[in-house]
Amino acid sequence: DGGITQSPKYLFRKEGQNVTLSCEQNLNHDAMYWYRQDPGQGLRLIYYSQIVNDFQKGDIAEGYSVSREKKESFPLTVTSAQKNPTAFYLCASSINPGTNTGELFFGEGSRLTVL
Amino acid sequence: GDSVTQMEGPVTLSEEAFLTINCTYTATGYPSLFWYVQYPGEGLQLLLKATKADDKGSNKGFEATYRKETTSFHLEKGSVQVSDSAVYFCAPGGSARQLTFGSGTQLTVLP
């Protein structure tokens, strides 16, 4: 079945370490997104990519980095510069970022805990 | 930019009760409107959507009507079930950038 796969589902990190969260989609979608979700809060956009080899910062990009070398993949690196990285991270994709529909398809999420 | 104001939770109801979760938005133009649902420990799933004024989106007994005059998209269900317990997010679309999500409303349905 087509969908979005995020891994790992749970990740523990020591302070000062970089970690990379994987996001893979086989929906042939052009656009991909990373969101951060904190308890009791909505989703905040970290980075998004509308096409391969191009990406833009979202609202809270500081301390994060991404790449989009393949259409199917959009990994997120949480760097040591991110002051409060413990959160639930959601990857999403959409068919065509230029349309006015905006429907997103989400992965199951990755929960990162900094020890 | 776009913004959305969603009814704060948590909301606790008994099974078979009527549900309303209010959502109002501000946006440029006339965006598509969405309700997403998030079950515990999972990502978000599209629940329903409406793409133009006066459209009614519906799915799994939930409904929401696109009200342009009040810029609202309230979610309703006539008889909730325990399995409806989740967090519900309202989101106006409309830009190439991405959706703007509300803060989410936690719904708990008691048997």
Side-chain angles (χ1 to χ4, degrees), chain B residues 84-101:
Chain B
D84 294 327
S85 297
V87 181
Y88 293 82
F89 292 92
C90 180
S95 72
R97 190 171 179 266
Q98 82 291 330
L99 297 177
T100 302
F101 286 91

Side-chain angles (χ1 to χ4, degrees), chain B residues 5 14 58 61 77 89:
Chain B
T5 300
S14 297
S58 61
K77 186 173 185 180
F89 292 92

Side-chain angles (χ1 to χ4, degrees), chain B residues 11-22:
Chain B
V11 174
T12 302
L13 297 173
S14 297
E15 204 164 26
E16 298 184 3
F18 183 84
L19 169 71
T20 299
I21 301 178
N22 291 337

Side-chain angles (χ1 to χ4, degrees), chain B residues 25-39:
Chain B
Y25 66 92
T26 59
T28 303
Y30 303 105
S32 296
L33 301 174
F34 302 87
W35 276 101
Y36 286 83
V37 58
Q38 184 179 31
Y39 298 102

Side-chain angles (χ1 to χ4, degrees), chain B residues 1-96:
Chain B
D2 296 355
S3 66
V4 57
T5 300
Q6 192 174 331
M7 173 179 167
E8 290 191 16
V11 174
T12 302
L13 297 173
S14 297
E15 204 164 26
E16 298 184 3
F18 183 84
L19 169 71
T20 299
I21 301 178
N22 291 337
C23 172
T24 58
Y25 66 92
T26 59
T28 303
Y30 303 105
S32 296
L33 301 174
F34 302 87
W35 276 101
Y36 286 83
V37 58
Q38 184 179 31
Y39 298 102
E42 298 183 8
L44 277 68
Q45 305 172 23
L46 179 66
L47 179 61
L48 55 83
K49 66 181 180 182
T51 58
K52 62 182 186 296
D54 299 325
D55 267 3
K56 177 184 286 187
S58 61
N59 185 26
K60 300 181 180 180
F62 291 90
E63 293 183 339
T65 300
Y66 191 135
R67 302 289 187 196
K68 185 177 68 174
E69 63 278 8
T70 56
T71 61
S72 64
F73 193 52
H74 305 321
L75 182 68
E76 297 181 336
K77 186 173 185 180
S79 177
V80 294
Q81 306 299 312
V82 172
S83 57
D84 294 327
S85 297
V87 181
Y88 293 82
F89 292 92
C90 180
S95 72

Side-chain angles (χ1 to χ4, degrees), chain A residues 23 32-34 47-49 55 66-68 73-76:
Chain A
C23 178
M32 297 186 74
Y33 310 81
W34 274 106
Y47 268 99
Y48 65 105
S49 169
F55 49 84
V66 293
S67 62
R68 187 84 187 278
S73 179
F74 191 43
L76 173 73

